[in-house]
Amino acid sequence: EYDEYYEHFALDKKLNPPKYFRDIEKYKRDYEIKKKLFDGKLICTYSYQKLDDTLFDSLVKQLRARGIKVPEENVISDEEAIEKFREAGYFTYFASLLSNFLTHFKLRESKLDELKSKVNTPWFKKIFEGTENKRARAFVEIFEFIFNGYQQKLSKEGRVDYEDMLIEGMKYIENQNLKFLIVDEFQDISSLRAEVLRKIQKYNKNVQFFSVGDDWQSIYRFNGGDIKIMVSKYEQLFGKKERVDLGLTYRFNDRLCELTSSFILKNKHQLNKKIKGRQDYNEIPLLIFKQATGERNSFKIDFSLKIHLLKILKNIFKEDKTSIEGGISKAKILFLTRYNNNNYRNGYEDLEKYICNIFKRKKGYFEFSTIHSAKGAEADYVFLMNVHDGYRGFPSTIENDPILSLVVNDIDDFEHEEERRLFYVALTRTKKRSLCTGKWALILLKRFIKIRITKKVIIMKTPIYPF
């Protein structure tokens, strides 16, 4: 009707897209091409306008300048707007954010008054208030309403949630003449759990406190875990300690010990330990599939990774002699991903379905998991999939919602601290060999681990198999 076109571009004020985009230069070129192609008929808005809270004003101004009528008020009812909101999937995200915020709020024993004081703004400052402050203030208002309703519902039904078990449980701690207090997985302890332990110590004067944990495997910050309690605050919270390191692993060999130790200790706040591995197995423990990139801007589908995966799996089943049952290898094979997604990066195929369809009689040998879910697990061989740069890559570039900073302030002091620990957990699930796959695996490993590629690593350069 108007012969005009509209597109919203993910660009900042300097017309640069986010760093996690796959091909930044291509996105910028496409933007310029579209501007020329539509010859003044393209209405544009930008990400920076959304942050500045000027996006809708700019859009309305451009529409009206082209003779397109824009109503002064909403043309749909609140009920219709809510339904559109639901259809777009925003309720799912918002519910997840609320749930996450509620967990951190209670784990840290935060108070509503303290929370509201962080976002309260005098009336004269609201005139100049930015979008982020407005959003935070609106969120806190909604959170207060939901939190009060949630707590009332729990009370009315005589129920408690997990955080309340700890909060309410502290009220009943008394002297029970405890002699020993033993805590496992101490690296994942939260401030609220630490407070429970302190109170037990306070009322049981003669209790001996024994904790077991590996700070190299602290990967649950999103669930309230605070590694500083173990590494730097231990004596401040629990008194003088005697530390004993367990320096021997029975899972993997010295080569993998040396490789993984060298990059985990790049984190400035990890405890320094020396780990020794198995002596009966000395094969190179890490295999990297370095996929060829092909021609620039090529749209070919890359089959090289799939073909090499099948070859490796076939060799494992044919040659592995660690566990034989009826003459057939029973090696356990674990596929790990950073996120709950088994699709290839360049993909068109669900990896789990693909592998299990080809090796139908060996389905029981495969397990698929996120790295977080696999903590504590082990397998003969581990495939770490989708080691690539960008969105849903590794190390992760997805940042927490800024709203969470109202209750969570324990950010990394050193770049990628927790992502580095997560990578360590992934590589050390194996008994024999870990295999990293993804177009940028080698590049990411060099940058992320920041060590020289040595005899501990085999690099396989794979060709492009055209579609």
Side-chain angles (χ1 to χ4, degrees):
E1 184 175 345
Y2 295 103
D3 193 28
E4 300 284 349
Y5 302 85
Y6 168 66
E7 183 166 351
H8 178 76
F9 292 96
L11 297 171
D12 62 18
K13 288 184 178 180
K14 294 182 179 179
L15 299 182
N16 290 316
K19 292 180 180 179
Y20 59 78
F21 272 28
R22 289 188 198 178
D23 194 330
I24 289 176
E25 293 304 317
K26 182 177 183 302
Y27 191 90
K28 292 164 70 173
R29 286 197 305 273
D30 287 349
Y31 165 70
E32 295 296 339
I33 289 170
K34 289 174 183 177
K35 292 271 287 185
K36 292 179 181 178
L37 181 66
F38 289 99
D39 192 25
K41 293 182 177 293
L42 182 64
I43 299 169
C44 302
T45 56
Y46 305 91
S47 291
Y48 74 84
Q49 293 174 322
K50 186 170 185 287
L51 295 174
D52 292 346
D53 203 21
T54 60
L55 188 151
F56 290 107
D57 288 341
S58 172
L59 179 57
V60 168
K61 186 177 180 179
Q62 292 183 75
L63 290 170
R64 287 176 174 165
R66 288 166 168 78
I68 300 172
K69 295 179 180 180
V70 181
E72 294 292 342
E73 298 182 359
N74 290 335
V75 295
I76 62 175
S77 67
D78 289 347
E79 289 75 16
E80 289 175 298
I82 290 291
E83 189 56 37
K84 294 291 184 184
F85 193 75
R86 189 193 305 276
E87 289 174 1
Y90 294 125
F91 270 121
T92 303
Y93 171 78
F94 187 63
S96 176
L97 177 60
L98 272 171
S99 174
N100 199 1
F101 192 93
L102 176 65
T103 296
H104 286 287
F105 180 82
K106 297 182 79 169
L107 278 175
R108 287 163 174 77
E109 296 186 274
S110 302
K111 307 297 181 187
L112 279 173
D113 288 344
E114 294 173 0
L115 178 63
K116 288 191 288 186
S117 70
K118 293 180 179 180
V119 297
N120 281 345
T121 305
W123 68 267
F124 57 88
K125 286 189 177 181
K126 288 181 182 177
I127 301 172
F128 309 101
E129 191 176 30
T131 303
E132 287 189 16
N133 287 344
K134 289 180 181 178
R135 181 174 182 262
R137 190 154 45 81
F139 181 88
V140 170
E141 288 179 14
I142 296 171
F143 176 76
E144 180 181 15
F145 175 79
I146 291 176
F147 175 75
N148 287 333
Y150 174 71
Q151 292 298 106
Q152 289 169 11
K153 182 175 177 63
L154 287 177
S155 178
K156 184 178 180 180
E157 297 179 0
R159 299 184 180 190
V160 291
D161 60 17
Y162 182 74
E163 289 74 31
D164 282 334
M165 290 182 192
L166 298 172
I167 295 169
E168 294 299 314
M170 279 197 290
K171 298 176 183 177
Y172 300 94
I173 293 173
E174 57 186 31
N175 184 11
Q176 296 175 310
N177 294 315
L178 296 180
K179 293 183 179 180
F180 304 102
L181 178 60
I182 303 175
V183 180
D184 197 7
E185 301 291 350
F186 194 78
Q187 73 277 354
D188 297 319
I189 194 168
S190 68
S191 56
L192 179 55
R193 297 183 185 100
E195 193 58 37
V196 172
L197 298 177
R198 289 186 68 193
K199 197 160 186 180
I200 292 174
Q201 278 187 310
K202 178 182 177 181
Y203 282 93
N204 295 265
K205 298 292 185 181
N206 297 318
V207 67
Q208 293 187 46
F209 183 34
F210 181 82
S211 58
V212 182
D214 182 1
D215 64 296
W216 292 7
Q217 298 189 55
S218 177
I219 59 174
Y220 287 110
R221 184 174 59 194
F222 69 88
N223 203 26
D226 184 355
I227 189 176
K228 292 177 182 176
I229 294 174
M230 178 178 184
V231 173
S232 59
K233 297 180 180 179
Y234 193 99
E235 292 194 347
Q236 173 188 337
L237 293 171
F238 305 109
K240 200 168 183 179
K241 73 173 186 287
E242 181 181 347
R243 173 181 150 191
V244 178
D245 291 337
L246 302 179
L248 182 62
T249 177
Y250 295 94
R251 182 180 297 156
F252 45 84
N253 66 16
D254 271 344
R255 286 185 170 186
L256 191 57
C257 280
E258 186 182 349
L259 174 69
T260 54
S261 296
S262 63
F263 78 81
I264 194 65
L265 288 174
K266 295 292 182 181
N267 279 353
K268 295 179 181 178
H269 301 104
Q270 305 298 155
L271 297 174
N272 199 335
K273 295 171 286 203
K274 290 186 177 180
I275 309 296
K276 297 291 291 181
R278 289 168 46 190
Q279 304 300 313
D280 61 327
Y281 181 77
N282 198 38
E283 297 298 316
I284 293 178
L286 181 60
L287 175 65
I288 298 174
F289 292 128
K290 183 186 176 185
Q291 288 171 275
T293 57
E295 296 178 9
R296 189 169 182 175
N297 300 325
S298 171
F299 289 97
K300 292 178 181 178
I301 295 176
D302 181 3
F303 283 97
S304 60
L305 178 56
K306 295 178 88 173
I307 291 173
H308 279 271
L309 272 178
L310 297 182
K311 287 181 178 179
I312 287 290
L313 289 172
K314 185 177 179 181
N315 287 337
I316 287 174
F317 288 124
K318 181 180 179 181
E319 300 175 8
D320 189 86
K321 305 296 182 183
T322 55
S323 179
I324 301 293
E325 186 176 296
I328 301 175
S329 170
K330 293 282 287 185
K332 180 180 175 183
I333 300 168
L334 178 62
F335 287 87
L336 295 178
T337 53
R338 175 64 180 83
Y339 294 95
N340 191 18
N341 182 354
N342 290 325
N343 289 332
Y344 279 115
R345 162 70 165 176
N346 63 337
Y348 43 88
E349 186 86 57
D350 183 295
L351 179 66
E352 183 172 359
K353 291 180 181 177
Y354 177 75
I355 295 294
C356 291
N357 279 337
I358 291 177
F359 296 96
K360 288 182 179 179
R361 300 176 70 178
K362 299 181 176 67
K363 285 183 182 179
Y365 305 166
F366 301 116
E367 287 189 22
F368 295 82
S369 173
T370 63
I371 303 169
H372 282 98
S373 298
K375 185 168 174 285
E378 64 178 24
D380 295 291
Y381 299 91
V382 171
F383 286 78
L384 180 55
M385 305 302 299
N386 290 334
V387 181
H388 61 74
D389 208 350
Y391 182 70
R392 287 186 174 268
F394 203 139
S396 173
T397 56
I398 299 177
E399 297 182 359
N400 286 331
D401 194 296
I403 289 291
L404 290 175
S405 65
L406 293 172
V407 287
V408 181
N409 55 13
D410 48 340
I411 60 175
D412 281 347
D413 295 321
F414 184 65
E415 186 182 23
H416 300 316
E417 271 196 27
E418 184 139 334
E419 289 294 297
R420 194 181 297 271
R421 291 192 292 268
L422 191 62
F423 200 81
Y424 172 84
V425 168
L427 292 182
T428 55
R429 297 310 92 199
T430 187
K431 296 179 182 178
K432 291 193 168 184
R433 178 176 284 174
S434 291
L435 304 99
C436 289
T437 60
K439 180 170 281 190
W440 306 110
L442 180 60
I443 298 171
L444 259 290
L445 282 168
K446 282 183 175 179
R447 189 179 76 196
F448 182 37
I449 301 176
K450 296 180 181 176
I451 62 168
R452 290 184 300 106
I453 301 300
T454 69
K455 61 183 179 181
K456 300 181 253 330
V457 180
I458 294 177
I459 304 167
M460 292 187 65
K461 295 184 180 180
T462 67
I464 285 284
Y465 291 83
F467 179 67

